[in-house]
Amino acid sequence: MIKSMAKKEITILNDLQIEKKISKSENVDKDEKKVSEKNVLQGRWDQARNEIKHIADAEGHGIDDGIKDAVIALNAFNINTGQSCEGHFDSGMSAPWIRIEALNEPEERFVGQNEAFEKVAKKCNMPVEEVKRMFNMDAYWEAFHECEKNGETEDYQKWREESGKFLYIIKEILDDFYKNRQVADNVRIKADTENMDDMVEGSFEIFNGGEDYRNINDLKLSDEEKESLGKRLDGYRKEMQAFAGFLKDKLFGEGDNYINGKKNKAQEKVDQEKIRKIEEKLI
């Protein structure tokens, strides 16, 4: 009886030791997986940061420091940004903004667009690129209206839909960001578009600044007004930087699980809009 009990206890002990080894092995695997995932996320962050370093506008200016971290964070989440500005008191927009759009915008928005612009460029005796870049506004709008009547290409419609998904993803993220955060309405970051159908050119912007979100090229601000705007700009930029920090924490804290949930909800909204449009046509 005693020998039988001893054998039983030894068996139990062996089983416990085996379970302990298995548990330890599983924990090691989990730790290694976490390290691997963190390395992947860090790689994405570093890649986004390095790519941002080499981006410049038509005049050769890089991305403004006051908006750079937010641009990096969005791109690390594979949310593509097209343009951005930290806001200025001497030209352009006087509040920070970031334009968001899907990758690989089709060259042509409308069917026959290139032909229309080439035709107008030849008529006006100017390079077609200058017409496209609005060097001559009359020429640009003549070409635009000429091809607009042909309707958008299928590729452009698909691209716009992908941009629309970004819109709904961003709205979800901003809701999370402001869930327990109280700021003045003019400091709060918003999207300039309510739904996908409102994205006239297939993109949208996030911004803050309230009434300062405006183009001041034609305004002549006094030194006092510039000083006041400069102080407000500092607050707007700090809010954008706080948003960047929030995104970075989500990236390294929750990884793709965070953004994937937003993507699923965004797809649902896009599908709902498609159904609504079909139903409207049937009425």
Side-chain angles (χ1 to χ4, degrees), residues 128-147:
V128 66
E129 285 303 316
E130 290 187 4
V131 178
K132 290 181 177 180
R133 293 180 60 187
M134 302 183 181
F135 281 34
N136 182 320
M137 293 300 295
D138 290 337
Y140 172 83
W141 286 114
E142 180 182 346
F144 181 90
H145 292 309
E146 176 67 24
C147 58

Side-chain angles (χ1 to χ4, degrees), residues 3 25 59 71 87 92 117 125 164 187 190 216 247 255 260 276:
K3 288 183 178 180
S25 176
E59 297 178 354
V71 172
F117 274 83
N125 193 28
V187 175
K190 304 174 183 178
I216 59 171
L247 288 172
N260 286 340
R276 177 181 57 79

Side-chain angles (χ1 to χ4, degrees), residues 201-245:
E201 295 186 353
S203 61
F204 66 96
E205 293 176 6
I206 59 172
F207 70 98
N208 60 1
E211 293 182 355
D212 286 323
Y213 178 62
R214 58 178 179 166
N215 190 306
I216 59 171
N217 283 337
D218 296 329
L219 298 180
K220 292 184 178 180
L221 301 180
S222 66
D223 290 341
E224 184 178 347
E225 288 173 324
K226 288 181 179 179
E227 183 180 355
S228 178
L229 175 57
K231 291 178 180 178
R232 296 196 300 275
L233 267 172
D234 185 55
Y236 303 152
R237 292 167 183 167
K238 285 181 179 178
E239 185 69 0
M240 282 290 185
Q241 289 165 357
F243 181 55

